[in-house]
Coordinates of all heavy atoms in Angstrom, one line a residue:
M16 N 11.0 -62.4 37.3 CA 11.6 -63.3 36.4 C 10.7 -63.4 35.1 O 11.2 -63.6 34.1 CB 11.8 -64.7 37.1 CG 12.6 -65.6 36.3 SD 14.3 -65.2 36.5 CE 15.0 -66.8 36.4
K17 N 9.4 -63.2 35.3 CA 8.5 -63.3 34.2 C 8.9 -62.2 33.2 O 9.1 -61.1 33.5 CB 7.1 -63.1 34.7 CG 6.1 -63.7 33.8 CD 4.7 -63.6 34.5 CE 3.7 -64.5 33.8 NZ 2.4 -64.4 34.4
G18 N 8.9 -62.6 31.9 CA 9.2 -61.6 30.9 C 10.7 -61.6 30.5 O 11.0 -60.9 29.5
N19 N 11.6 -62.2 31.3 CA 13.0 -62.1 31.0 C 13.4 -63.3 30.1 O 14.6 -63.3 29.6 CB 13.8 -62.2 32.3 CG 13.7 -61.0 33.1 OD1 13.3 -59.9 32.6 ND2 13.9 -61.1 34.4
Y20 N 12.6 -64.2 29.9 CA 13.0 -65.4 29.1 C 13.2 -65.0 27.6 O 12.3 -64.4 27.0 CB 11.9 -66.5 29.2 CG 12.2 -67.7 28.3 CD1 13.2 -68.6 28.6 CD2 11.5 -67.8 27.1 CE1 13.4 -69.7 27.7 CE2 11.7 -68.9 26.3 CZ 12.7 -69.8 26.6 OH 12.9 -70.8 25.7
Q21 N 14.3 -65.4 27.1 CA 14.5 -65.2 25.6 C 15.1 -66.5 25.1 O 16.1 -67.0 25.6 CB 15.5 -64.1 25.4 CG 15.0 -62.7 25.7 CD 16.0 -61.6 25.3 OE1 17.1 -61.9 24.9 NE2 15.6 -60.4 25.5
P22 N 14.4 -67.2 24.2 CA 14.9 -68.5 23.7 C 16.2 -68.3 22.9 O 16.4 -67.3 22.3 CB 13.7 -69.0 22.8 CG 13.0 -67.7 22.5 CD 13.1 -66.8 23.6
L23 N 17.0 -69.3 23.0 CA 18.3 -69.3 22.3 C 18.0 -69.6 20.8 O 17.1 -70.4 20.6 CB 19.3 -70.3 22.9 CG 19.7 -70.0 24.3 CD1 20.5 -71.2 24.9 CD2 20.5 -68.7 24.4
P24 N 18.8 -69.1 19.9 CA 18.6 -69.4 18.5 C 18.9 -70.9 18.3 O 19.8 -71.5 18.9 CB 19.6 -68.6 17.8 CG 20.5 -68.1 18.8 CD 19.9 -68.1 20.1
R25 N 18.1 -71.6 17.5 CA 18.3 -73.0 17.3 C 19.2 -73.2 16.1 O 19.0 -72.6 15.0 CB 16.9 -73.7 17.0 CG 16.0 -73.7 18.2 CD 14.7 -74.4 17.8 NE 13.8 -74.5 18.9 CZ 13.8 -75.4 19.8 NH1 14.6 -76.4 19.7 NH2 12.9 -75.4 20.8
P26 N 20.2 -74.1 16.2 CA 21.1 -74.4 15.1 C 20.4 -75.2 14.0 O 20.8 -75.3 12.9 CB 22.2 -75.1 15.7 CG 21.7 -75.7 17.0 CD 20.6 -74.8 17.4
V27 N 19.3 -75.9 14.4 CA 18.5 -76.7 13.5 C 17.1 -76.1 13.4 O 16.5 -75.7 14.4 CB 18.4 -78.2 14.1 CG1 17.6 -79.1 13.2 CG2 19.8 -78.8 14.3
P28 N 16.6 -76.1 12.2 CA 15.2 -75.5 12.0 C 14.2 -76.3 12.9 O 14.3 -77.5 13.1 CB 14.9 -75.7 10.6 CG 16.2 -75.9 9.9 CD 17.1 -76.5 10.9
F29 N 13.2 -75.6 13.4 CA 12.3 -76.2 14.4 C 11.6 -77.4 13.8 O 11.3 -78.4 14.5 CB 11.3 -75.1 14.9 CG 10.5 -75.6 16.0 CD1 11.1 -75.8 17.3 CD2 9.1 -75.8 15.9 CE1 10.4 -76.2 18.4 CE2 8.4 -76.2 17.0 CZ 9.0 -76.4 18.2
D30 N 11.2 -77.4 12.5 CA 10.5 -78.5 12.0 C 11.4 -79.8 12.0 O 10.9 -80.9 12.1 CB 10.0 -78.2 10.6 CG 11.1 -77.8 9.6 OD1 12.1 -77.4 10.0 OD2 10.8 -78.0 8.4
K31 N 12.7 -79.6 11.8 CA 13.6 -80.8 11.9 C 13.6 -81.3 13.3 O 13.7 -82.5 13.5 CB 15.0 -80.4 11.5 CG 15.1 -79.9 10.1 CD 15.5 -81.1 9.2 CE 15.8 -80.6 7.8 NZ 15.5 -81.5 6.8
V32 N 13.6 -80.4 14.3 CA 13.5 -80.9 15.7 C 12.3 -81.7 16.0 O 12.3 -82.8 16.6 CB 13.5 -79.7 16.7 CG1 13.3 -80.1 18.1 CG2 14.9 -78.9 16.6
L33 N 11.1 -81.2 15.4 CA 9.9 -82.0 15.6 C 9.9 -83.3 14.9 O 9.4 -84.3 15.4 CB 8.7 -81.1 15.1 CG 8.4 -79.9 15.9 CD1 7.3 -79.1 15.2 CD2 8.1 -80.2 17.3
D34 N 10.6 -83.4 13.7 CA 10.7 -84.7 13.0 C 11.5 -85.6 13.9 O 11.2 -86.8 14.0 CB 11.4 -84.5 11.7 CG 10.6 -83.7 10.6 OD1 9.4 -83.6 10.8 OD2 11.2 -83.3 9.6
Q35 N 12.6 -85.2 14.5 CA 13.4 -86.0 15.4 C 12.6 -86.5 16.6 O 12.7 -87.6 17.0 CB 14.7 -85.2 15.8 CG 15.6 -86.0 16.8 CD 16.2 -87.3 16.1 OE1 16.6 -87.2 14.9 NE2 16.2 -88.4 16.8
Q36 N 11.8 -85.6 17.1 CA 11.0 -86.0 18.3 C 10.0 -87.1 17.9 O 9.7 -88.0 18.6 CB 10.2 -84.8 18.8 CG 11.1 -83.8 19.6 CD 10.4 -82.6 20.1 OE1 9.2 -82.4 19.8 NE2 11.1 -81.8 20.8
A37 N 9.4 -87.0 16.7 CA 8.5 -88.0 16.2 C 9.2 -89.3 16.0 O 8.7 -90.4 16.4 CB 7.8 -87.6 14.9
E38 N 10.4 -89.3 15.5 CA 11.2 -90.5 15.4 C 11.5 -91.1 16.7 O 11.4 -92.3 16.9 CB 12.5 -90.3 14.6 CG 12.3 -90.0 13.1 CD 13.6 -89.5 12.5 OE1 14.7 -89.7 13.1 OE2 13.5 -89.0 11.4
D39 N 11.9 -90.3 17.7 CA 12.2 -90.7 19.0 C 11.0 -91.4 19.7 O 11.1 -92.4 20.4 CB 12.7 -89.6 19.9 CG 14.0 -89.1 19.5 OD1 14.7 -89.8 18.8 OD2 14.4 -88.0 20.0
K40 N 9.8 -90.8 19.5 CA 8.6 -91.4 20.0 C 8.3 -92.8 19.5 O 7.9 -93.7 20.2 CB 7.4 -90.5 19.8 CG 7.3 -89.3 20.7 CD 6.1 -88.4 20.4 CE 6.1 -87.2 21.3 NZ 5.0 -86.3 21.1
Q41 N 8.6 -93.0 18.2 CA 8.4 -94.3 17.6 C 9.3 -95.3 18.1 O 9.0 -96.4 18.5 CB 8.5 -94.2 16.1 CG 7.4 -93.5 15.4 CD 7.7 -93.3 13.9 OE1 8.7 -93.5 13.4 NE2 6.7 -92.8 13.2
S42 N 10.6 -94.9 18.3 CA 11.6 -95.9 18.8 C 11.4 -96.0 20.3 O 11.7 -97.1 20.8 CB 13.0 -95.4 18.5 OG 13.3 -94.2 19.2
A43 N 11.0 -95.0 21.0 CA 10.8 -95.1 22.4 C 9.6 -96.1 22.7 O 9.6 -96.7 23.8 CB 10.5 -93.7 23.0
G44 N 8.6 -96.1 21.9 CA 7.5 -97.0 22.1 C 8.0 -98.5 22.2 O 7.4 -99.3 22.9
Q45 N 9.0 -98.8 21.5 CA 9.5 -100.2 21.5 C 10.3 -100.4 22.8 O 10.2 -101.5 23.4 CB 10.5 -100.4 20.3 CG 9.8 -100.3 19.0 CD 10.9 -100.2 17.9 OE1 12.1 -100.1 18.1 NE2 10.4 -100.3 16.6
N46 N 11.0 -99.4 23.3 CA 11.8 -99.6 24.5 C 11.0 -99.4 25.8 O 11.4 -100.0 26.8 CB 13.0 -98.6 24.5 CG 13.9 -98.9 23.3 OD1 14.1 -100.0 22.9 ND2 14.6 -97.8 22.8
N47 N 10.0 -98.6 25.8 CA 9.3 -98.2 27.0 C 8.0 -98.9 27.1 O 7.2 -98.6 28.0 CB 9.1 -96.7 27.0 CG 10.3 -96.0 27.4 OD1 11.3 -96.5 27.9 ND2 10.4 -94.7 27.0
A48 N 7.7 -99.8 26.2 CA 6.4 -100.5 26.2 C 5.2 -99.6 26.4 O 4.3 -99.8 27.1 CB 6.4 -101.6 27.3
G49 N 5.3 -98.4 25.6 CA 4.1 -97.5 25.6 C 4.1 -96.6 26.8 O 3.1 -95.9 27.0
E50 N 5.1 -96.5 27.6 CA 5.1 -95.6 28.8 C 5.1 -94.2 28.3 O 5.8 -93.9 27.3 CB 6.4 -95.8 29.6 CG 6.4 -97.1 30.4 CD 7.7 -97.1 31.3 OE1 7.9 -96.3 32.1 OE2 8.5 -98.1 31.0
P51 N 4.4 -93.3 28.9 CA 4.4 -91.9 28.5 C 5.8 -91.3 28.8 O 6.5 -91.7 29.8 CB 3.4 -91.2 29.4 CG 3.1 -92.1 30.5 CD 3.5 -93.5 30.0
L52 N 6.3 -90.3 28.0 CA 7.6 -89.7 28.2 C 7.4 -88.3 28.7 O 6.4 -87.6 28.4 CB 8.3 -89.7 26.8 CG 8.6 -91.0 26.2 CD1 9.2 -90.8 24.8 CD2 9.4 -91.9 27.1
V53 N 8.4 -87.8 29.5 CA 8.4 -86.5 30.0 C 9.7 -85.9 29.6 O 10.7 -86.6 29.4 CB 8.2 -86.4 31.5 CG1 6.8 -86.9 31.9 CG2 9.3 -87.1 32.2
M54 N 9.8 -84.5 29.5 CA 11.0 -83.8 29.2 C 11.8 -83.8 30.5 O 11.3 -83.6 31.6 CB 10.7 -82.4 28.8 CG 11.9 -81.6 28.4 SD 12.9 -82.3 27.1 CE 11.8 -82.0 25.7
F55 N 13.1 -84.0 30.4 CA 14.0 -84.1 31.5 C 15.2 -83.1 31.2 O 15.9 -83.4 30.2 CB 14.5 -85.5 31.7 CG 15.4 -85.7 32.9 CD1 14.9 -85.7 34.2 CD2 16.8 -85.9 32.8 CE1 15.7 -85.9 35.3 CE2 17.6 -86.1 33.9 CZ 17.0 -86.1 35.2
S56 N 15.4 -82.1 32.0 CA 16.5 -81.1 31.8 C 17.6 -81.5 32.7 O 17.4 -81.7 33.9 CB 15.9 -79.7 32.0 OG 17.0 -78.8 31.8
L57 N 18.8 -81.4 32.2 CA 20.0 -81.8 33.0 C 21.2 -81.0 32.7 O 21.5 -80.8 31.5 CB 20.3 -83.3 32.7 CG 21.4 -84.0 33.4 CD1 21.2 -84.1 34.9 CD2 21.6 -85.3 32.8
R58 N 21.9 -80.4 33.6 CA 23.1 -79.7 33.4 C 24.3 -80.6 33.6 O 24.4 -81.3 34.7 CB 23.2 -78.5 34.3 CG 22.2 -77.4 34.0 CD 22.6 -76.1 34.6 NE 21.7 -75.1 34.3 CZ 21.8 -74.3 33.2 NH1 22.8 -74.5 32.4 NH2 21.0 -73.4 33.0
L59 N 25.1 -80.7 32.6 CA 26.3 -81.6 32.7 C 27.6 -80.8 32.4 O 27.5 -79.8 31.7 CB 26.2 -82.7 31.6 CG 25.1 -83.6 31.6 CD1 25.0 -84.5 30.3 CD2 25.2 -84.6 32.8
P60 N 28.7 -81.3 33.0 CA 29.9 -80.7 32.6 C 30.2 -80.9 31.1 O 29.8 -81.9 30.6 CB 31.0 -81.4 33.4 CG 30.2 -82.1 34.5 CD 28.8 -82.3 34.0
V61 N 30.8 -79.9 30.5 CA 31.1 -80.0 29.0 C 31.8 -81.3 28.7 O 31.5 -82.0 27.7 CB 31.9 -78.8 28.6 CG1 32.3 -78.9 27.1 CG2 31.0 -77.5 28.7
R62 N 32.8 -81.7 29.6 CA 33.6 -82.9 29.4 C 32.7 -84.1 29.2 O 32.8 -84.9 28.3 CB 34.5 -83.0 30.5 CG 35.3 -84.4 30.6 CD 36.0 -84.5 32.0 NE 35.1 -84.4 33.1 CZ 34.3 -85.3 33.6 NH1 34.2 -86.5 33.0 NH2 33.6 -85.1 34.6
L63 N 31.7 -84.2 30.1 CA 30.8 -85.4 30.1 C 29.9 -85.3 28.9 O 29.6 -86.4 28.2 CB 30.0 -85.4 31.4 CG 29.1 -86.6 31.6 CD1 29.9 -87.9 31.6 CD2 28.4 -86.5 33.0
K64 N 29.4 -84.2 28.5 CA 28.5 -84.1 27.3 C 29.3 -84.5 26.1 O 28.8 -85.1 25.2 CB 28.0 -82.7 27.1 CG 27.0 -82.7 26.0 CD 26.3 -81.3 25.8 CE 25.4 -81.4 24.6 NZ 24.9 -80.2 24.2
N65 N 30.6 -84.0 26.0 CA 31.4 -84.4 24.8 C 31.6 -85.9 24.8 O 31.6 -86.5 23.7 CB 32.7 -83.7 24.9 CG 32.6 -82.2 24.6 OD1 31.6 -81.8 23.9 ND2 33.5 -81.4 25.0
R66 N 31.8 -86.5 25.9 CA 32.0 -88.0 26.0 C 30.7 -88.7 25.5 O 30.7 -89.6 24.7 CB 32.3 -88.5 27.4 CG 33.7 -88.4 27.8 CD 33.9 -88.9 29.2 NE 33.7 -90.4 29.2 CZ 33.6 -91.0 30.4 NH1 33.7 -90.5 31.5 NH2 33.3 -92.3 30.3
L67 N 29.6 -88.1 25.9 CA 28.3 -88.7 25.5 C 28.1 -88.5 24.0 O 27.7 -89.5 23.3 CB 27.1 -88.0 26.2 CG 25.7 -88.4 26.0 CD1 25.5 -89.9 26.3 CD2 24.8 -87.6 26.8
K68 N 28.4 -87.4 23.4 CA 28.3 -87.2 22.0 C 29.2 -88.1 21.2 O 28.8 -88.7 20.2 CB 28.6 -85.7 21.6 CG 27.6 -84.7 22.1 CD 28.0 -83.3 22.0 CE 27.9 -82.8 20.6 NZ 28.1 -81.3 20.5
I69 N 30.4 -88.3 21.7 CA 31.3 -89.2 21.0 C 30.8 -90.7 21.0 O 30.8 -91.4 20.0 CB 32.7 -89.2 21.7 CG1 33.4 -87.8 21.3 CG2 33.6 -90.3 21.2 CD1 34.6 -87.5 22.2
A70 N 30.2 -91.1 22.2 CA 29.7 -92.4 22.3 C 28.5 -92.6 21.4 O 28.4 -93.7 20.8 CB 29.3 -92.7 23.8
T71 N 27.6 -91.6 21.3 CA 26.5 -91.8 20.4 C 26.9 -91.9 19.0 O 26.3 -92.7 18.2 CB 25.5 -90.6 20.5 OG1 26.2 -89.4 20.2 CG2 25.0 -90.5 21.9
T72 N 28.0 -91.2 18.6 CA 28.5 -91.2 17.2 C 29.1 -92.6 16.9 O 28.9 -93.2 15.9 CB 29.5 -90.1 17.0 OG1 28.9 -88.9 17.2 CG2 30.0 -90.1 15.5
E73 N 29.9 -93.0 17.9 CA 30.6 -94.3 17.7 C 29.7 -95.5 17.6 O 29.9 -96.4 16.9 CB 31.6 -94.5 18.8 CG 32.9 -93.7 18.8 CD 33.8 -93.9 20.0 OE1 33.4 -94.5 21.0 OE2 34.9 -93.3 19.9
H74 N 28.6 -95.5 18.4 CA 27.7 -96.6 18.5 C 26.4 -96.4 17.6 O 25.6 -97.3 17.5 CB 27.3 -96.9 19.9 CG 28.4 -97.2 20.8 ND1 29.0 -98.5 20.8 CD2 29.1 -96.5 21.7 CE1 30.0 -98.5 21.6 NE2 30.1 -97.3 22.2
G75 N 26.3 -95.2 17.0 CA 25.1 -95.0 16.2 C 23.8 -95.1 16.9 O 22.8 -95.5 16.4
T76 N 23.9 -94.7 18.2 CA 22.7 -94.8 19.1 C 22.3 -93.4 19.5 O 23.1 -92.6 19.8 CB 23.1 -95.6 20.4 OG1 23.6 -96.8 20.0 CG2 21.9 -95.8 21.3
P77 N 21.0 -93.1 19.5 CA 20.5 -91.8 19.9 C 21.0 -91.4 21.4 O 21.0 -92.3 22.2 CB 19.0 -91.8 19.8 CG 18.7 -93.0 18.9 CD 19.9 -94.0 19.1
M78 N 21.3 -90.2 21.6 CA 21.7 -89.7 22.9 C 20.7 -90.0 24.0 O 21.0 -90.5 25.1 CB 22.0 -88.2 22.9 CG 22.7 -87.7 24.1 SD 23.1 -85.9 24.0 CE 24.3 -85.8 22.7
Q79 N 19.4 -89.8 23.6 CA 18.3 -90.1 24.5 C 18.3 -91.6 25.0 O 18.1 -91.8 26.2 CB 17.0 -89.7 23.8 CG 15.8 -89.9 24.7 CD 14.6 -89.4 24.0 OE1 14.6 -88.4 23.3 NE2 13.5 -90.2 24.1
Q80 N 18.6 -92.5 24.1 CA 18.6 -93.9 24.4 C 19.7 -94.2 25.4 O 19.5 -95.0 26.4 CB 18.7 -94.7 23.2 CG 18.5 -96.2 23.4 CD 18.5 -97.0 22.1 OE1 18.4 -96.4 21.0 NE2 18.8 -98.3 22.2
I81 N 20.9 -93.7 25.1 CA 22.1 -93.9 26.0 C 21.8 -93.4 27.4 O 22.1 -94.0 28.4 CB 23.3 -93.4 25.4 CG1 23.7 -94.2 24.1 CG2 24.5 -93.3 26.4 CD1 24.9 -93.7 23.4
L82 N 21.3 -92.2 27.4 CA 21.0 -91.6 28.7 C 19.9 -92.3 29.5 O 20.1 -92.5 30.7 CB 20.5 -90.1 28.6 CG 21.6 -89.1 28.2 CD1 21.0 -87.8 27.9 CD2 22.6 -89.0 29.4
R83 N 18.9 -92.8 28.8 CA 17.9 -93.6 29.5 C 18.5 -94.9 30.1 O 18.3 -95.2 31.3 CB 16.8 -94.1 28.5 CG 15.6 -93.3 28.5 CD 14.5 -94.0 27.7 NE 13.9 -93.0 26.9 CZ 13.6 -93.1 25.6 NH1 13.8 -94.3 25.0 NH2 13.1 -92.2 25.0
H84 N 19.3 -95.5 29.3 CA 20.0 -96.8 29.8 C 20.9 -96.5 31.0 O 20.9 -97.2 32.0 CB 20.8 -97.4 28.6 CG 21.5 -98.7 29.0 ND1 20.8 -99.9 29.2 CD2 22.8 -98.9 29.3 CE1 21.7 -100.8 29.6 NE2 22.9 -100.2 29.6
A85 N 21.7 -95.4 30.9 CA 22.6 -95.0 31.9 C 21.9 -94.7 33.2 O 22.3 -95.2 34.3 CB 23.5 -93.9 31.5
I86 N 20.8 -94.0 33.1 CA 20.1 -93.6 34.3 C 19.4 -94.8 35.0 O 19.5 -95.0 36.2 CB 19.0 -92.5 34.0 CG1 19.7 -91.2 33.7 CG2 18.0 -92.3 35.2 CD1 18.8 -90.2 33.1
E87 N 18.9 -95.7 34.1 CA 18.2 -96.9 34.7 C 19.3 -97.8 35.3 O 19.1 -98.3 36.4 CB 17.5 -97.6 33.5 CG 16.7 -98.8 34.1 CD 15.7 -99.3 33.0 OE1 15.7 -98.8 31.9 OE2 14.9 -100.2 33.4
H88 N 20.4 -97.9 34.7 CA 21.5 -98.8 35.2 C 22.0 -98.2 36.6 O 22.2 -99.0 37.5 CB 22.7 -98.8 34.2 CG 23.9 -99.5 34.7 ND1 23.9 -100.9 34.7 CD2 25.0 -99.1 35.2 CE1 25.1 -101.3 35.2 NE2 25.8 -100.2 35.6
E89 N 22.2 -96.9 36.6 CA 22.6 -96.3 37.9 C 21.6 -96.5 39.0 O 21.9 -96.8 40.1 CB 23.0 -94.8 37.7 CG 23.6 -94.2 38.9 CD 24.9 -94.7 39.3 OE1 25.6 -95.4 38.5 OE2 25.2 -94.6 40.5
L90 N 20.3 -96.3 38.7 CA 19.3 -96.5 39.7 C 19.2 -97.9 40.2 O 19.0 -98.2 41.3 CB 17.9 -96.0 39.1 CG 17.8 -94.5 38.9 CD1 16.5 -94.2 38.2 CD2 17.9 -93.8 40.2
D91 N 19.3 -98.9 39.2 CA 19.4 -100.3 39.6 C 20.6 -100.6 40.5 O 20.4 -101.3 41.5 CB 19.4 -101.2 38.4 CG 18.1 -101.2 37.6 OD1 17.1 -100.7 38.1 OD2 18.2 -101.7 36.4
H92 N 21.7 -100.0 40.2 CA 22.9 -100.2 41.0 C 22.7 -99.6 42.4 O 23.1 -100.2 43.4 CB 24.1 -99.5 40.3 CG 25.4 -99.5 41.1 ND1 26.1 -100.7 41.1 CD2 26.0 -98.6 41.8 CE1 27.2 -100.5 41.9 NE2 27.2 -99.2 42.3
L93 N 22.1 -98.4 42.5 CA 21.8 -97.8 43.8 C 20.8 -98.6 44.6 O 21.0 -98.8 45.8 CB 21.3 -96.4 43.6 CG 22.3 -95.3 43.1 CD1 21.6 -94.0 42.8 CD2 23.4 -95.1 44.2
D94 N 19.8 -99.2 43.9 CA 18.8 -100.0 44.6 C 19.5 -101.3 45.2 O 19.2 -101.7 46.3 CB 17.7 -100.4 43.7 CG 16.8 -99.2 43.4 OD1 16.8 -98.2 44.1 OD2 16.0 -99.3 42.4
S95 N 20.4 -101.9 44.4 CA 21.0 -103.1 44.9 C 22.0 -102.9 46.0 O 22.1 -103.7 46.9 CB 21.7 -103.8 43.7 OG 22.8 -103.1 43.3
N96 N 22.6 -101.7 46.0 CA 23.5 -101.3 47.1 C 22.7 -101.0 48.4 O 23.2 -101.1 49.5 CB 24.4 -100.2 46.8 CG 25.5 -100.6 45.8 OD1 25.8 -101.8 45.7 ND2 26.1 -99.6 45.2
H97 N 21.5 -100.5 48.2 CA 20.7 -100.1 49.4 C 20.1 -101.3 50.1 O 19.9 -101.2 51.3 CB 19.6 -99.2 48.9 CG 18.8 -98.6 50.0 ND1 17.6 -99.1 50.4 CD2 19.0 -97.5 50.7 CE1 17.1 -98.4 51.4 NE2 17.9 -97.4 51.6
E98 N 19.9 -102.4 49.5 CA 19.3 -103.6 50.1 C 20.2 -104.4 50.9 O 21.3 -104.4 51.0 CB 18.7 -104.5 49.0 CG 17.5 -103.8 48.3 CD 17.0 -104.6 47.1 OE1 17.6 -105.6 46.8 OE2 16.0 -104.1 46.5

């Protein structure tokens, strides 16, 4: 497998991606009370990703923030059902 990796072309210049990450870190500091962040990779059906993109546009909220909230909500729900 080593040596077969070829990065996909980015639709956005890399420096713009880094700018967005810096903005996310600043806003994440408010929401996570300084918790360190890790990269999380997730495969979703196209239908679900499109719903997520529409929701982020409608609410003017970053996709990362909506996903964090959804994951936390689902984990809380699972914990309450387990008890």
